[in-house]
Amino acid sequence: KQEVTQIPAALSVPEGENLVLNCSFTDSAIYNLQWFRQDPGKGLTSLLLIQSSQREQTSGRLNASLDKSSGRSTLYIAASQPGDSATYLCAVRHQAGTALIFGKGTTLSVSS
Amino acid sequence: GAVVSQHPSWVICKSGTSVKIECRSLDFQATTMFWYRQFPKQSLMLMATSNEGSKATYEQGVEKDKFLINHASLTLSTLTVTSAHPEDSSFYICSARDGGQGVFGANVLTFGAGSRLTVL
C-alpha cells in the first residue's frame, strides 16, 4: 500500500529565505505527483503537477523535482514571503483512474 | 479551467440527523468522483471512489451504510452522512476526474472547495 511521508512536519523561517520541503513515497510506480497548498480551514490549491516521465516543474518561485526511482520529490520555494505561510501537501497517483494519496503535509510559517 | 462546485461549504447539525453534501462538475463530465475527509491537523484520507452509474467502492474502515454516495449523473455526486455523530465532524472534500473528451483530460483531478461538518 502506497504511503506518502512529508518532512519536516512544520517549518518556521524568516522572510526571504529559500527553503525545501521533502516528500517520499514507498511505491515508485506512480502516474504523477502533485503538490498542493492548503490554507487553514480552506480547500486545496494545486501548485505543481509532475508526470512520472518528468524530472521537474517550475512555476514562479516554486520548483518541484521528482526522482521516481528513489521515491522522492522536493518542493523548493525561493525568497519566501509571509503569504507563503500555509500547509503544503504532497500527493501521488498510481494510474490515471485512481485517487491521489496524500502525505500529512508540512506546515510552513514565514515571519516578516 | 475545470471547476467542481461543492455545497454546502459548512454545515452544523444535531446528532442523529443526516447531512447531504453535493459536488457538481460545471464544465466537464466527472466519470469518477473521489471523496476524502480531513480531521483537524491531519491529511486528506480517501473514503470512497464512485464511478457514474455504479456503486461506490469504500476504503477499509469506512462504513458504507453511514456514508452514502450517489453518482447518478456525470455532473453530480453526493455524499450523505447518515445519523451523524460528533465524531463525524470533519472537513469533507470531493475530487473529480474528467472522463469525457474535453480539454481538461483525465490527467488532472479537480477538487471541490470542501465542506466543513460540525455535529453537535
Side-chain angles (χ1 to χ4, degrees):
Chain A
K1 183 180 178 182
Q2 179 74 273
E3 291 185 5
V4 180
T5 303
Q6 292 187 245
I7 296 173
L11 182 62
S12 294
V13 299
E15 182 177 7
E17 267 201 17
N18 302 323
L19 54 101
V20 174
L21 308 182
N22 297 291
C23 172
S24 62
F25 43 96
T26 54
D27 188 346
S28 62
I30 64 169
Y31 177 70
N32 60 30
L33 180 145
Q34 201 163 355
W35 284 92
F36 294 86
R37 169 185 173 139
Q38 185 176 31
D39 292 286
K42 303 293 185 181
L44 304 179
T45 299
S46 179
L47 299 175
L48 292 165
L49 183 149
I50 310 177
Q51 297 297 334
S52 61
S53 59
Q54 297 175 324
R55 298 283 293 185
E56 66 177 349
Q57 283 287 330
T58 298
S59 176
R61 293 183 292 108
L62 305 179
N63 175 278
S65 67
L66 173 64
D67 183 344
K68 199 173 75 163
S69 61
S70 67
R72 294 181 181 181
S73 176
T74 60
L75 178 66
Y76 175 83
I77 302 177
S80 58
Q81 303 171 359
D84 295 332
S85 299
T87 295
Y88 291 81
L89 296 168
C90 169
V92 299
R93 286 175 81 185
H94 270 293
Q95 299 173 12
T98 61
L100 281 162
I101 305 300
F102 286 83
K104 291 186 176 181
T106 294
T107 299
L108 172 65
S109 176
V110 182
S111 56
S112 56
Chain B
V3 175
V4 171
S5 176
Q6 184 170 348
H7 292 281
S9 56
W10 59 272
V11 57
I12 301 173
C13 70
K14 293 182 179 180
S15 184
T17 60
S18 295
V19 175
K20 179 184 285 188
I21 299 169
E22 290 189 353
C23 279
R24 293 180 182 272
S25 58
L26 300 185
D27 40 19
F28 65 99
Q29 296 176 326
T31 53
T32 304
M33 190 73 76
F34 303 103
W35 286 93
Y36 295 84
R37 64 181 168 185
Q38 184 180 36
F39 293 109
K41 299 190 183 299
Q42 299 294 315
S43 188
L44 280 77
M45 298 300 295
L46 180 67
M47 297 176 66
T49 301
S50 72
N51 293 300
E52 183 265 337
S54 302
K55 288 185 177 181
T57 301
Y58 291 81
E59 296 298 302
Q60 190 173 8
V62 178
E63 301 174 57
K64 62 179 181 180
D65 294 330
K66 182 171 186 60
F67 299 99
L68 302 180
I69 292 174
N70 184 285
H71 193 170
S73 80
L74 286 171
T75 59
L76 175 65
S77 179
T78 62
L79 167 67
T80 301
V81 183
T82 62
S83 187
H85 288 94
E87 58 265 29
D88 298 322
S89 299
S90 187
F91 185 68
Y92 294 86
I93 191 166
C94 63
S95 173
R97 172 176 175 258
D98 181 4
Q101 299 302 312
V103 297
F104 305 119
N107 218 9
V108 177
L109 297 179
T110 303
F111 284 81
S115 300
R116 184 160 302 282
L117 170 63
T118 300
V119 185
L120 303 177

